[in-house]
Amino acid sequence: MRILIGGMNHESNTLNPIITGARDFLIARGAELLVPGYAPQSAIAGIVETLKKAGCELVPALMARAVPNGVVSHSLYEELRAEFILSIREALAAGPIDGICLALHGSMKVENLGCAEGDLLAHIRKILPHVPCTASLDMHATVTKEMLDAVNGFVGYKTAPHIDCAETGAHAAAMLLTSLKTGKKLYTAYRRIPMLIAGEKSESEAEPMSSLIELCREAEKRPGILGASFLLGFPWADDEHNAACALVTGFSENETSANTIAAVTENLAAQFWKRRREFAFRSEYYDSAAAMEAAYRAVLENHEKPVFVSDSGDNPTAGAAGDSTDLLEKILARLDMVEKLPTPLLYSGFYDAPAAAVCVKAGIGAVVDTTLGGNWDTLNGKKIPLGLEVRNIVRNFGPHKSDLVLASSGNILFTITSAHIGFGDPDLLPSLGVKAEDYSLVVVKLGYLEPCFRTIARRAILATSKGCSNEVLESIPYKRVTRPLYPLDEDAEL
Ligand SMILES: [Zn+2]
């Protein structure tokens, strides 16, 4: 069997003014997708492994991935789509394609176009209208009618933080193989759940997600049902389709089985809705000023170390700009407290290409006058003038080849990146010679702490700071989402 594989993966934050462009994407083309070790732990890796094991001939189109950020450049997306379609045409010239298995996000948005997945799938369906197709989705997918019309079977990640991406890709591939082997057609039922959930309230290890995901796993054990998912939408995209949903894929050979799938989907949605008020932050949380006050007390009075504060409103891995200064301004307003800390306050960090360039040009040991923040998120940030002493520089870090700078100002130590890569990478601080556990107070532009920080954090405090990943959804001035929508509207009904 010849199976077309590929995909696109980007979580597009429409509140962030950055346009995600070619510099941000990692693109693997054709046979590059099949190289052992390509994108380990990702959905496409699970797809490749499963289909290879089943003896399929793989027809790789392309896989484009980028760190969450603002919407994707229209011209770049059109180029990627054209390349994807061309590779299908070339593959068809060599022989028929029996199936399609894609690794998609579900919340990739393109400037002046909207839903990338719906558009890409519609173009694929123009060439391959009837070939069975399955796809894996991120848990934060926003499902649209175009996506449902084009794909026979969907399955989404069941974990947040997402640690089951490869497993989900394998699941999507297995659904396709089952359909091809049995000749039975897959069908996906969708039920909108009119709510959005702040990312940090939906960790899958915590309730209510933990038992809701268990309901999906139980549903998947029922005869005729191959995949059951809760997809949460993406709260930082002001989009008419944005909402959570229950999505169930199965065989709908007759009216009875179609009714069963529909009933299971309805029941999952109802169970989710029933528990909507239980979604809550797992760690202690305060607004920016109060979060810092709590952190100073923890360090200075309780001698806890290290204490972590998540600058959650400006989390680049949730697509925020990474240069909001809301929390920094609160820190600078209380330098008397900062000065009392037994070690410098480590702030990781800021995405600020101009500041990084100034520091790199000046070199290690130099003292520069520059500004930090406020290049992109001018609503929640402004350029803060700072004198910085450059402590360390790493050029071309990671796959996005970002420059990293470690620089100090008084008793604060900042990391600065030249590319929008986020601050959750466990190698970022060590590459600058920094061990987070050596610092009493670590502020990081993240939401829930990544395992590298969680395992060492003596205490984790969530600052509901202001930025493009503002966790207080009720305070976001949405214009396009379809209302009523919980928790914006308490009277929303399923
Ligand atoms: Zn996600």
Side-chain angles (χ1 to χ4, degrees):
M1 285 185 292
R2 292 182 87 219
I3 312 292
L4 174 79
I5 61 163
M8 292 192 193
N9 197 307
H10 186 251
E11 195 167 69
S12 311
N13 183 319
T14 69
L15 311 178
N16 175 354
I18 299 174
I19 300 297
T20 305
R23 69 188 178 285
D24 302 303
F25 272 91
L26 300 174
I27 301 165
R29 297 174 161 91
E32 288 171 356
L33 271 76
L34 308 180
V35 174
Y38 165 68
Q41 316 301 328
S42 72
I44 194 73
I47 289 172
V48 169
E49 196 192 331
T50 305
L51 295 176
K52 261 190 189 168
K53 228 183 250 174
C56 299
E57 181 191 338
L58 298 187
V59 179
L62 72 81
M63 185 72 220
R65 302 177 300 140
V67 175
N69 206 341
V71 298
V72 175
S73 148
H74 192 275
S75 59
L76 173 71
Y77 168 71
E78 287 201 325
E79 279 170 33
L80 293 173
R81 185 185 67 201
E83 215 180 310
F84 205 108
I85 297 302
L86 180 65
S87 64
I88 298 176
R89 291 194 192 285
E90 286 172 355
L92 280 173
I97 290 172
D98 304 301
I100 308 168
C101 193
L102 304 174
L104 302 175
H105 185 287
S107 286
M108 175 167 161
K109 301 280 187 298
V110 178
E111 53 173 349
N112 306 319
L113 178 74
C115 174
E117 290 86 354
D119 181 79
L120 175 69
L121 289 163
H123 279 77
I124 294 173
R125 279 307 194 199
K126 278 184 198 162
I127 313 174
L128 299 167
H130 305 302
V131 173
C133 174
T134 63
S136 62
L137 293 172
D138 189 279
M139 185 189 271
H140 301 105
T142 303
V143 177
T144 63
K145 183 173 183 306
E146 289 73 21
M147 289 163 68
L148 291 165
D149 286 348
V151 172
N152 307 99
F154 280 114
V155 63
Y157 302 159
K158 288 184 170 62
T159 58
H162 308 320
I163 52 169
D164 66 334
C165 308
E167 205 180 316
T168 308
H171 191 155
M175 293 199 306
L176 180 69
L177 289 170
T178 307
S179 172
L180 290 171
K181 281 177 191 161
T182 58
K184 293 180 186 174
K185 206 174 167 196
L186 294 173
Y187 160 81
T188 294
Y190 164 88
R191 177 61 157 98
R192 181 176 187 267
I193 305 171
M195 66 183 290
L196 289 174
I197 307 163
E200 288 10 83
K201 290 184 178 177
S202 53
E203 281 185 79
S204 54
E205 273 188 11
E207 289 296 335
M209 276 307 273
S210 164
S211 47
L212 288 169
I213 293 294
E214 201 44 45
L215 292 179
C216 290
R217 293 193 196 280
E218 281 167 23
E220 287 170 348
K221 289 179 192 152
R222 295 182 62 152
I225 289 180
L226 281 77
S229 314
F230 285 121
L231 303 172
L232 307 184
F234 183 57
W236 301 295
D238 191 6
D239 178 85
E240 66 196 280
H241 305 290
N242 211 348
C245 74
L247 209 57
V248 177
T249 293
F251 294 129
S252 63
E253 299 159 278
N254 50 48
E255 207 177 314
T256 316
S257 53
N259 285 344
T260 303
I261 295 172
V264 168
T265 315
E266 276 298 320
N267 180 52
L268 285 175
Q271 297 295 329
F272 197 97
W273 183 248
K274 213 191 274 178
R275 304 192 67 177
R276 66 190 178 282
R277 290 190 178 83
E278 294 175 44
F279 290 93
F281 294 123
R282 206 175 165 192
S283 56
E284 56 184 310
Y285 68 97
Y286 315 96
D287 65 27
S288 293
M292 292 312 301
E293 291 302 321
Y296 298 136
R297 276 198 304 276
V299 172
L300 298 171
E301 293 170 22
N302 304 343
H303 308 290
E304 291 169 298
K305 177 188 171 186
V307 173
F308 275 78
V309 175
S310 294
D311 184 357
S312 72
D314 188 33
N315 174 8
T317 52
D323 72 346
S324 158
T325 54
D326 172 54
L327 191 65
L328 176 59
E329 288 170 53
K330 306 296 184 295
I331 291 170
L332 296 177
R334 291 302 310 271
L335 282 178
D336 57 322
M337 299 304 284
V338 175
E339 294 306 325
K340 287 181 191 161
L341 294 172
T343 62
L345 184 161
L346 176 62
Y347 198 151
S348 185
F350 277 82
Y351 161 50
D352 193 323
V358 166
C359 293
V360 168
K361 194 175 172 205
I364 295 171
V367 176
V368 297
D369 282 319
T370 184
T371 65
L372 204 52
N375 295 309
W376 295 102
D377 187 354
T378 51
L379 211 61
N380 307 292
K382 57 187 179 206
K383 292 174 187 285
I384 306 282
L386 281 176
L388 292 176
E389 183 181 344
V390 184
R391 298 297 190 92
N392 203 354
I393 294 170
V394 173
R395 305 296 305 268
N396 300 315
F397 170 80
H400 294 277
K401 302 200 179 310
S402 177
D403 288 339
L404 307 180
V405 172
L406 185 71
S408 61
S409 175
N411 203 30
I412 309 175
L413 196 57
F414 292 100
T415 62
I416 306 166
T417 65
S418 68
H420 184 276
I421 57 171
F423 298 94
D425 186 329
D427 296 329
L428 193 151
L429 288 171
S431 76
L432 283 164
V434 172
K435 281 188 193 160
E437 56 267 43
D438 290 344
Y439 292 82
S440 51
L441 177 47
V442 183
V443 178
V444 61
K445 283 191 187 289
L446 262 184
Y448 36 60
L449 295 178
E450 296 291 335
C452 62
F453 296 136
R454 185 175 292 184
T455 48
I456 59 167
R458 187 70 192 275
R459 189 157 162 192
I461 296 169
L462 188 94
T464 53
S465 49
K466 293 184 179 123
C468 302
S469 58
N470 182 348
E471 292 280 337
V472 187
L473 304 189
E474 296 89 330
S475 69
I476 297 175
Y478 291 106
K479 292 188 181 75
R480 300 190 60 194
V481 293
T482 305
R483 310 285 287 261
L485 199 60
Y486 183 83
L488 314 181
D489 305 298
E490 182 59 39
D491 60 348
E493 287 177 20
L494 183 67

